[in-house]
Amino acid sequence: MPVPATGLRDHRGAAHARLLGIGAHRPGRVVPNSEVVAGIDSSDEWIRQRSGIESRRWATPEETVQVMAVSAGRQALERAGLDARQVDCVIVATVSHLLQTPALATAVAHELGTDGAAAYDVSAACAGFCHGIALASDLVRGGSARHVLVVGVERLSEMTDPTDRGTAFIFADGAGAAVVGPADTPGIGPVVWGSDGEQFDLIRSREDWRDVLASDSPRMPHLVMQGSAVFRWASFTMAKVGLQALDRAGLGVEDLDCFVPHQANMRITDAMARSMRLPDTVRIARDIVDQGNTSAASIPLALDRMIAEGDARPGDTALLIAFGAGLAYAAQVVVVP
Ligand code: UT7
């Protein structure tokens, strides 16, 4: 049966969306492997070989998630040549904002000086930034926003147990951001995303707040990870997701300039690149070496470094693949701003 006309109007946005600017905040404290090994009976050599990490960045006491998110967001806006009042929506991807409510994004939008932009957080762990980019692209093309600021920020150092061998050397802190806005040609390819909740327990907070309160010695619910199971899933499944994202964008590996996967582990990055048969000409992000695994912040931080070092140039195509707790993942091809 035909739906009767109501007079309701809907709305279309820009023909296409693209990244307009990238920003980064790398925390002040450089933490070499030698500083984390004591608590976990490990060695600098083991950590380098198994993860590729030589040092990581941890936030100083002053570098809260809000401080880092605002700093990265401000830089992304400057590079996009935009005033904060031109931002209609702020999306913050994070798992380390310690208030259950309100969303960190509202404070970030206010401190940046947006004119009351819509603001909300996304909880998709290490996949959060690519979820945010997918949402931003759809908001711009759907007409709900003209400019969207997407921030990935984490302060995992305070959510990590320094005596847990499986996580203490991996997780780190930082923030990265991107401004998404209208474009005449496609600048953000279709997202390939999904989740596998059957593997919910592979990376998670060790306990919920009720367990914490019931404990005789309450402490922050630290992250725990079944590393090798996540490693296998990421190395094999994510390469297929990357190829799907390329295919949906109408590109092949030979069209790709840059590969910017979540900086989870250098061996996962290498396994994905091998399995996707990326040509040698594709430049690969290796920010993990001195930044560690910063979850939602890792892809924009890695892309920022590639741009700064000339490995990603304006107009280049870059494949982003993010994956982590949930298990959740998202991938898309973007054009480098
Ligand atoms: O960001 C979200 C997504 N996260 C990821 O994608 C992380 C995925 N996982 C990983 O990156 C890796 O699993 C780790 C780097 C965390 C661990 O590397 P692995 O090669 O999977 O190590 P493993 O857990 O299989 O352990 C191998 C060996 C074991 O000894 P045996 O049984 O072979 O004698 C462990 O006891 O290494 C030992 N081991 C360690 N040795 C020194 C485990 N952790 C450590 C450690 N230092 N920290």
Side-chain angles (χ1 to χ4, degrees):
M1 209 172 82
V3 180
T6 59
L8 185 78
R9 240 184 290 157
D10 72 358
H11 193 47
R12 294 285 176 278
H16 305 288
R18 69 181 177 102
L19 303 184
L20 300 176
I22 299 288
H25 180 96
R26 294 180 193 272
R29 204 170 147 220
V30 176
V31 180
N33 288 342
S34 55
E35 202 177 318
V36 296
V37 292
I40 53 173
D41 183 22
S42 188
S43 67
D44 176 43
E45 192 193 0
W46 189 94
I47 296 172
R48 282 174 197 247
Q49 275 178 4
R50 296 286 177 144
S51 71
I53 299 172
E54 295 176 7
S55 62
R56 75 278 297 130
R57 296 285 188 122
W58 284 354
T60 62
E62 296 74 36
E63 290 173 305
T64 62
V65 278
Q66 183 172 333
V67 164
M68 294 192 286
V70 167
S71 162
R74 189 168 282 138
Q75 189 176 60
L77 285 170
E78 278 165 17
R79 289 176 175 169
L82 288 183
D83 186 275
R85 281 167 301 190
Q86 293 171 273
V87 172
D88 306 304
C89 180
V90 176
I91 299 172
V92 174
T94 188
V95 295
S96 35
H97 171 47
L98 298 182
L99 287 184
Q100 198 97 36
T101 193
L104 176 62
T106 59
V108 172
H110 177 68
E111 195 179 335
L112 281 172
T114 70
D115 190 13
Y120 56 95
D121 293 355
V122 165
S123 176
C126 305
F129 181 77
C130 289
H131 278 67
I133 294 297
L135 294 172
S137 171
D138 288 356
L139 290 172
V140 169
R141 291 178 306 122
S144 304
R146 190 163 166 78
H147 296 115
V148 182
L149 176 67
V150 180
V151 182
V153 59
E154 302 292 3
R155 202 168 190 273
L156 298 177
S157 56
E158 66 183 327
M159 299 170 65
T160 305
D161 177 351
T163 65
D164 177 8
R165 286 183 112 198
T167 55
F169 63 95
I170 282 234
F171 292 127
D173 306 337
V179 180
V180 175
D184 297 331
T185 52
I188 299 175
V191 69
V192 174
W193 58 358
S195 66
D196 179 2
E198 204 179 332
Q199 309 205 68
F200 186 87
D201 285 330
L202 290 192
I203 313 173
R204 55 171 293 166
S205 294
R206 182 159 36 204
E207 57 270 293
D208 68 23
W209 289 113
R210 283 209 185 100
D211 300 329
V212 170
L213 290 171
S215 151
D216 291 338
S217 47
R219 58 177 189 168
M220 183 79 87
H222 289 135
L223 296 172
V224 285
M225 174 167 72
Q226 294 177 42
S228 44
V230 179
F231 188 100
R232 284 193 300 275
W233 170 78
S235 302
F236 298 112
T237 315
M238 287 305 104
K240 290 183 203 140
V241 168
L243 291 175
Q244 280 170 26
L246 275 168
D247 188 50
R248 291 206 64 204
L251 301 176
V253 286
E254 65 286 355
D255 301 310
L256 199 59
D257 298 306
C258 309
F259 178 44
V260 192
H262 167 45
Q263 301 291 290
N265 182 319
M266 191 78 87
R267 286 159 56 220
I268 295 178
T269 298
D270 289 334
M272 284 192 292
R274 263 195 314 274
S275 152
M276 292 169 65
R277 298 181 193 277
L278 295 185
D280 291 344
T281 48
V282 176
R283 296 175 294 278
I284 300 179
R286 299 192 181 282
D287 197 44
I288 192 168
V289 176
D290 56 13
Q291 180 64 59
N293 175 340
T294 56
S295 187
S298 90
I299 286 185
L301 280 171
L303 182 56
D304 171 76
R305 171 177 297 195
M306 288 187 85
I307 294 171
E309 295 183 350
D311 288 329
R313 294 180 283 265
D316 278 356
T317 52
L319 172 62
L320 316 182
I321 305 185
F323 50 86
L327 298 172
Y329 62 88
Q332 64 264 103
V333 179
V334 299
V335 175
V336 174

